[in-house]
Amino acid sequence: MEIKAVKFRKDGYYTAPFAFGGEEGMEKYDKNERYRGSLQNYLIDTGSEVILVDTGLPYGTPEEVPDENSLAFTGHDITDYMTAFKNLGYKPEQVTKILLTHRHSDHSGCIDKFPNAKVYVNEDELGADELKGKNNLVPVKFTDGAYHNFPESQKIADGIYFIKAKGHTNGNSIVIVENDGLFHMIHGDITYVDEALYKNKLSVVFDDVKAARVTLDRVRDFISNHPTVYLSTHTPQGYENLEGKKVVDLNNMPKTIPVGEITFKTASGKYVCSVCGYVYDPKVGDPDNGIPAGTKFEDLPQDWHCPRCKQGKEKFNKA
């Protein structure tokens, strides 16, 4: 069995308020404290089938244009998700299963590009806007009982387990792959940066903060008792851990690598949600929520929220 990273954005960042402020509040942290960001999802080659965990941003999602007040920046495009997938040497027709950690479009954006894949998703996510009209969805009911200290699980294949992990979204899940004596935890967005795992902090993005706390506690307990490689989506630490087979030691946080120089592009007038990738286009507005076409982002009401993931305006960056 082999696990590979599908890398499609690099050189982003997440600020301390965003990454750590979920329980104590963002005001407790310095917005100038930044941690490295990127975007990648993962592929599992079992030898007999190709399984994806999440499927990147939709084709054509514009880059964000951050400024000094941006809480998060997903990074610059390396390439689009499908090209990154094909560059690993695979064809879309080879993929038999997609395991969706949660609904957000940086995880679900290309699930319709794999014609032979069944898409396994926590049944609590089925009503999500991001999944409307998607084919081959397989509702996961977690009927296989506990997996170690996680109460609800579903075995997907030998050594591959889908774990119920509510909090970040109400249908959030984790994938654990047992391989070479290690437990590879592909966790979606339990944390955005690995420092949050070591510091035991929740991000500000969640549907249910109490459930998110329970899930993070279970994750840390599992890691304390099993040799775990922690595979993140939003930080290069994810693929660095994978490539180096780095096992988490919660008592010894690795030294933080500083964020490199941030390059900026010219803004287009559109804005992108740094959480789910939703694009606000002033030419279109948000008519479903009473915002007419022609409304500039700056003129949106202060209580306007992302139509997709319900985050506030402060989570948006210029595109």
Side-chain angles (χ1 to χ4, degrees), residues 179-199:
N179 191 39
D180 293 335
L182 300 174
F183 296 83
H184 294 78
M185 181 180 287
I186 308 173
H187 64 81
D189 298 350
I190 301 299
T191 59
Y192 279 82
V193 298
D194 286 14
E195 286 84 357
L197 172 71
Y198 287 88
K199 293 175 180 288

PDB file of all heavy atoms in Angstrom, residues 179-199:
ATOM      1  N   ASN A 179      -0.451   1.135   7.775  1.00  0.00           N
ATOM      2  CA  ASN A 179       0.527   0.752   6.759  1.00  0.00           C
ATOM      3  C   ASN A 179       1.925   0.770   7.346  1.00  0.00           C
ATOM      4  O   ASN A 179       2.314   1.736   8.016  1.00  0.00           O
ATOM      5  CB  ASN A 179       0.447   1.724   5.570  1.00  0.00           C
ATOM      6  CG  ASN A 179       1.228   1.243   4.369  1.00  0.00           C
ATOM      7  OD1 ASN A 179       1.248   0.052   4.059  1.00  0.00           O
ATOM      8  ND2 ASN A 179       1.885   2.166   3.685  1.00  0.00           N
ATOM      9  N   ASP A 180       2.681  -0.288   7.118  1.00  0.00           N
ATOM     10  CA  ASP A 180       4.069  -0.390   7.574  1.00  0.00           C
ATOM     11  C   ASP A 180       4.205  -0.161   9.078  1.00  0.00           C
ATOM     12  O   ASP A 180       5.161   0.467   9.543  1.00  0.00           O
ATOM     13  CB  ASP A 180       4.965   0.600   6.814  1.00  0.00           C
ATOM     14  CG  ASP A 180       5.101   0.259   5.340  1.00  0.00           C
ATOM     15  OD1 ASP A 180       4.925  -0.927   4.990  1.00  0.00           O
ATOM     16  OD2 ASP A 180       5.376   1.176   4.543  1.00  0.00           O
ATOM     17  N   GLY A 181       3.239  -0.641   9.854  1.00  0.00           N
ATOM     18  CA  GLY A 181       3.294  -0.510  11.299  1.00  0.00           C
ATOM     19  C   GLY A 181       2.941   0.866  11.820  1.00  0.00           C
ATOM     20  O   GLY A 181       3.062   1.129  13.022  1.00  0.00           O
ATOM     21  N   LEU A 182       2.479   1.760  10.936  1.00  0.00           N
ATOM     22  CA  LEU A 182       2.121   3.121  11.312  1.00  0.00           C
ATOM     23  C   LEU A 182       0.638   3.372  11.037  1.00  0.00           C
ATOM     24  O   LEU A 182       0.021   2.712  10.197  1.00  0.00           O
ATOM     25  CB  LEU A 182       2.958   4.136  10.529  1.00  0.00           C
ATOM     26  CG  LEU A 182       4.472   4.069  10.707  1.00  0.00           C
ATOM     27  CD1 LEU A 182       5.165   5.033   9.749  1.00  0.00           C
ATOM     28  CD2 LEU A 182       4.869   4.368  12.142  1.00  0.00           C
ATOM     29  N   PHE A 183       0.094   4.363  11.744  1.00  0.00           N
ATOM     30  CA  PHE A 183      -1.282   4.792  11.546  1.00  0.00           C
ATOM     31  C   PHE A 183      -1.231   6.159  10.862  1.00  0.00           C
ATOM     32  O   PHE A 183      -0.837   7.150  11.482  1.00  0.00           O
ATOM     33  CB  PHE A 183      -2.018   4.878  12.875  1.00  0.00           C
ATOM     34  CG  PHE A 183      -2.174   3.557  13.574  1.00  0.00           C
ATOM     35  CD1 PHE A 183      -1.141   3.045  14.346  1.00  0.00           C
ATOM     36  CD2 PHE A 183      -3.347   2.828  13.453  1.00  0.00           C
ATOM     37  CE1 PHE A 183      -1.280   1.828  15.000  1.00  0.00           C
ATOM     38  CE2 PHE A 183      -3.505   1.609  14.101  1.00  0.00           C
ATOM     39  CZ  PHE A 183      -2.463   1.103  14.871  1.00  0.00           C
ATOM     40  N   HIS A 184      -1.601   6.193   9.605  1.00  0.00           N
ATOM     41  CA  HIS A 184      -1.614   7.453   8.853  1.00  0.00           C
ATOM     42  C   HIS A 184      -2.996   8.083   9.017  1.00  0.00           C
ATOM     43  O   HIS A 184      -3.993   7.527   8.536  1.00  0.00           O
ATOM     44  CB  HIS A 184      -1.300   7.212   7.387  1.00  0.00           C
ATOM     45  CG  HIS A 184       0.093   6.717   7.142  1.00  0.00           C
ATOM     46  ND1 HIS A 184       0.464   5.407   7.350  1.00  0.00           N
ATOM     47  CD2 HIS A 184       1.203   7.375   6.723  1.00  0.00           C
ATOM     48  CE1 HIS A 184       1.741   5.265   7.060  1.00  0.00           C
ATOM     49  NE2 HIS A 184       2.221   6.437   6.684  1.00  0.00           N
ATOM     50  N   MET A 185      -3.057   9.221   9.701  1.00  0.00           N
ATOM     51  CA  MET A 185      -4.324   9.888   9.979  1.00  0.00           C
ATOM     52  C   MET A 185      -4.521  11.041   9.000  1.00  0.00           C
ATOM     53  O   MET A 185      -3.869  12.084   9.097  1.00  0.00           O
ATOM     54  CB  MET A 185      -4.358  10.405  11.421  1.00  0.00           C
ATOM     55  CG  MET A 185      -5.669  11.095  11.785  1.00  0.00           C
ATOM     56  SD  MET A 185      -5.713  11.702  13.492  1.00  0.00           S
ATOM     57  CE  MET A 185      -5.886  10.167  14.404  1.00  0.00           C
ATOM     58  N   ILE A 186      -5.422  10.836   8.048  1.00  0.00           N
ATOM     59  CA  ILE A 186      -5.785  11.874   7.080  1.00  0.00           C
ATOM     60  C   ILE A 186      -7.033  12.549   7.625  1.00  0.00           C
ATOM     61  O   ILE A 186      -8.132  11.995   7.579  1.00  0.00           O
ATOM     62  CB  ILE A 186      -6.024  11.264   5.691  1.00  0.00           C
ATOM     63  CG1 ILE A 186      -4.837  10.379   5.270  1.00  0.00           C
ATOM     64  CG2 ILE A 186      -6.249  12.373   4.660  1.00  0.00           C
ATOM     65  CD1 ILE A 186      -5.055   9.601   3.988  1.00  0.00           C
ATOM     66  N   HIS A 187      -6.850  13.745   8.164  1.00  0.00           N
ATOM     67  CA  HIS A 187      -7.876  14.282   9.073  1.00  0.00           C
ATOM     68  C   HIS A 187      -8.683  15.435   8.510  1.00  0.00           C
ATOM     69  O   HIS A 187      -9.535  15.987   9.210  1.00  0.00           O
ATOM     70  CB  HIS A 187      -7.208  14.722  10.372  1.00  0.00           C
ATOM     71  CG  HIS A 187      -6.239  15.857  10.211  1.00  0.00           C
ATOM     72  ND1 HIS A 187      -6.646  17.165  10.145  1.00  0.00           N
ATOM     73  CD2 HIS A 187      -4.890  15.870  10.082  1.00  0.00           C
ATOM     74  CE1 HIS A 187      -5.583  17.944   9.994  1.00  0.00           C
ATOM     75  NE2 HIS A 187      -4.504  17.183   9.941  1.00  0.00           N
ATOM     76  N   GLY A 188      -8.477  15.826   7.245  1.00  0.00           N
ATOM     77  CA  GLY A 188      -9.211  16.983   6.744  1.00  0.00           C
ATOM     78  C   GLY A 188      -8.792  18.226   7.491  1.00  0.00           C
ATOM     79  O   GLY A 188      -7.642  18.640   7.415  1.00  0.00           O
ATOM     80  N   ASP A 189      -9.703  18.809   8.266  1.00  0.00           N
ATOM     81  CA  ASP A 189      -9.421  20.086   8.934  1.00  0.00           C
ATOM     82  C   ASP A 189      -9.631  20.008  10.443  1.00  0.00           C
ATOM     83  O   ASP A 189     -10.121  20.961  11.060  1.00  0.00           O
ATOM     84  CB  ASP A 189     -10.308  21.198   8.360  1.00  0.00           C
ATOM     85  CG  ASP A 189     -10.058  21.445   6.880  1.00  0.00           C
ATOM     86  OD1 ASP A 189      -9.074  20.905   6.347  1.00  0.00           O
ATOM     87  OD2 ASP A 189     -10.872  22.154   6.260  1.00  0.00           O
ATOM     88  N   ILE A 190      -9.260  18.909  11.071  1.00  0.00           N
ATOM     89  CA  ILE A 190      -9.288  18.879  12.531  1.00  0.00           C
ATOM     90  C   ILE A 190      -8.430  20.017  13.063  1.00  0.00           C
ATOM     91  O   ILE A 190      -8.773  20.692  14.040  1.00  0.00           O
ATOM     92  CB  ILE A 190      -8.788  17.526  13.076  1.00  0.00           C
ATOM     93  CG1 ILE A 190      -9.653  16.379  12.545  1.00  0.00           C
ATOM     94  CG2 ILE A 190      -8.767  17.535  14.604  1.00  0.00           C
ATOM     95  CD1 ILE A 190     -11.104  16.458  12.932  1.00  0.00           C
ATOM     96  N   THR A 191      -7.280  20.236  12.426  1.00  0.00           N
ATOM     97  CA  THR A 191      -6.474  21.444  12.623  1.00  0.00           C
ATOM     98  C   THR A 191      -6.066  21.955  11.252  1.00  0.00           C
ATOM     99  O   THR A 191      -6.059  21.200  10.275  1.00  0.00           O
ATOM    100  CB  THR A 191      -5.206  21.157  13.447  1.00  0.00           C
ATOM    101  OG1 THR A 191      -4.422  20.161  12.767  1.00  0.00           O
ATOM    102  CG2 THR A 191      -5.545  20.673  14.844  1.00  0.00           C
ATOM    103  N   TYR A 192      -5.720  23.231  11.191  1.00  0.00           N
ATOM    104  CA  TYR A 192      -5.207  23.793   9.937  1.00  0.00           C
ATOM    105  C   TYR A 192      -3.690  23.721   9.874  1.00  0.00           C
ATOM    106  O   TYR A 192      -3.116  23.572   8.794  1.00  0.00           O
ATOM    107  CB  TYR A 192      -5.689  25.233   9.754  1.00  0.00           C
ATOM    108  CG  TYR A 192      -7.090  25.314   9.212  1.00  0.00           C
ATOM    109  CD1 TYR A 192      -8.188  25.193  10.054  1.00  0.00           C
ATOM    110  CD2 TYR A 192      -7.322  25.491   7.852  1.00  0.00           C
ATOM    111  CE1 TYR A 192      -9.483  25.243   9.564  1.00  0.00           C
ATOM    112  CE2 TYR A 192      -8.613  25.538   7.344  1.00  0.00           C
ATOM    113  CZ  TYR A 192      -9.699  25.411   8.202  1.00  0.00           C
ATOM    114  OH  TYR A 192     -10.973  25.443   7.702  1.00  0.00           O
ATOM    115  N   VAL A 193      -3.034  23.860  11.002  1.00  0.00           N
ATOM    116  CA  VAL A 193      -1.575  23.739  11.070  1.00  0.00           C
ATOM    117  C   VAL A 193      -1.247  22.759  12.197  1.00  0.00           C
ATOM    118  O   VAL A 193      -1.987  22.630  13.163  1.00  0.00           O
ATOM    119  CB  VAL A 193      -0.895  25.104  11.319  1.00  0.00           C
ATOM    120  CG1 VAL A 193      -1.196  26.069  10.173  1.00  0.00           C
ATOM    121  CG2 VAL A 193      -1.325  25.719  12.650  1.00  0.00           C
ATOM    122  N   ASP A 194      -0.122  22.059  12.060  1.00  0.00           N
ATOM    123  CA  ASP A 194       0.195  21.027  13.047  1.00  0.00           C
ATOM    124  C   ASP A 194       0.492  21.606  14.421  1.00  0.00           C
ATOM    125  O   ASP A 194       0.307  20.934  15.443  1.00  0.00           O
ATOM    126  CB  ASP A 194       1.390  20.207  12.567  1.00  0.00           C
ATOM    127  CG  ASP A 194       1.010  19.249  11.438  1.00  0.00           C
ATOM    128  OD1 ASP A 194      -0.080  19.411  10.854  1.00  0.00           O
ATOM    129  OD2 ASP A 194       1.811  18.343  11.131  1.00  0.00           O
ATOM    130  N   GLU A 195       0.929  22.854  14.467  1.00  0.00           N
ATOM    131  CA  GLU A 195       1.171  23.483  15.765  1.00  0.00           C
ATOM    132  C   GLU A 195      -0.087  23.480  16.627  1.00  0.00           C
ATOM    133  O   GLU A 195      -0.013  23.380  17.859  1.00  0.00           O
ATOM    134  CB  GLU A 195       1.671  24.915  15.575  1.00  0.00           C
ATOM    135  CG  GLU A 195       3.108  25.032  15.093  1.00  0.00           C
ATOM    136  CD  GLU A 195       3.268  24.924  13.590  1.00  0.00           C
ATOM    137  OE1 GLU A 195       2.246  24.694  12.902  1.00  0.00           O
ATOM    138  OE2 GLU A 195       4.398  25.065  13.097  1.00  0.00           O
ATOM    139  N   ALA A 196      -1.255  23.567  15.998  1.00  0.00           N
ATOM    140  CA  ALA A 196      -2.508  23.542  16.744  1.00  0.00           C
ATOM    141  C   ALA A 196      -2.746  22.178  17.391  1.00  0.00           C
ATOM    142  O   ALA A 196      -3.312  22.091  18.489  1.00  0.00           O
ATOM    143  CB  ALA A 196      -3.679  23.906  15.833  1.00  0.00           C
ATOM    144  N   LEU A 197      -2.313  21.119  16.723  1.00  0.00           N
ATOM    145  CA  LEU A 197      -2.408  19.783  17.324  1.00  0.00           C
ATOM    146  C   LEU A 197      -1.551  19.710  18.585  1.00  0.00           C
ATOM    147  O   LEU A 197      -2.014  19.248  19.633  1.00  0.00           O
ATOM    148  CB  LEU A 197      -1.939  18.732  16.316  1.00  0.00           C
ATOM    149  CG  LEU A 197      -1.794  17.308  16.857  1.00  0.00           C
ATOM    150  CD1 LEU A 197      -3.163  16.696  17.150  1.00  0.00           C
ATOM    151  CD2 LEU A 197      -1.013  16.437  15.880  1.00  0.00           C
ATOM    152  N   TYR A 198      -0.311  20.180  18.490  1.00  0.00           N
ATOM    153  CA  TYR A 198       0.598  20.118  19.632  1.00  0.00           C
ATOM    154  C   TYR A 198       0.155  21.057  20.759  1.00  0.00           C
ATOM    155  O   TYR A 198       0.274  20.723  21.940  1.00  0.00           O
ATOM    156  CB  TYR A 198       2.019  20.475  19.186  1.00  0.00           C
ATOM    157  CG  TYR A 198       2.687  19.402  18.374  1.00  0.00           C
ATOM    158  CD1 TYR A 198       2.546  19.353  16.992  1.00  0.00           C
ATOM    159  CD2 TYR A 198       3.452  18.412  18.978  1.00  0.00           C
ATOM    160  CE1 TYR A 198       3.164  18.369  16.233  1.00  0.00           C
ATOM    161  CE2 TYR A 198       4.074  17.415  18.232  1.00  0.00           C
ATOM    162  CZ  TYR A 198       3.923  17.399  16.864  1.00  0.00           C
ATOM    163  OH  TYR A 198       4.535  16.409  16.121  1.00  0.00           O
ATOM    164  N   LYS A 199      -0.350  22.234  20.394  1.00  0.00           N
ATOM    165  CA  LYS A 199      -0.779  23.203  21.393  1.00  0.00           C
ATOM    166  C   LYS A 199      -2.192  22.923  21.915  1.00  0.00           C
ATOM    167  O   LYS A 199      -2.665  23.593  22.837  1.00  0.00           O
ATOM    168  CB  LYS A 199      -0.731  24.615  20.791  1.00  0.00           C
ATOM    169  CG  LYS A 199       0.672  25.125  20.475  1.00  0.00           C
ATOM    170  CD  LYS A 199       0.594  26.480  19.767  1.00  0.00           C
ATOM    171  CE  LYS A 199       1.954  27.044  19.416  1.00  0.00           C
ATOM    172  NZ  LYS A 199       2.681  27.526  20.613  1.00  0.00           N
TER     173      LYS A 199
END
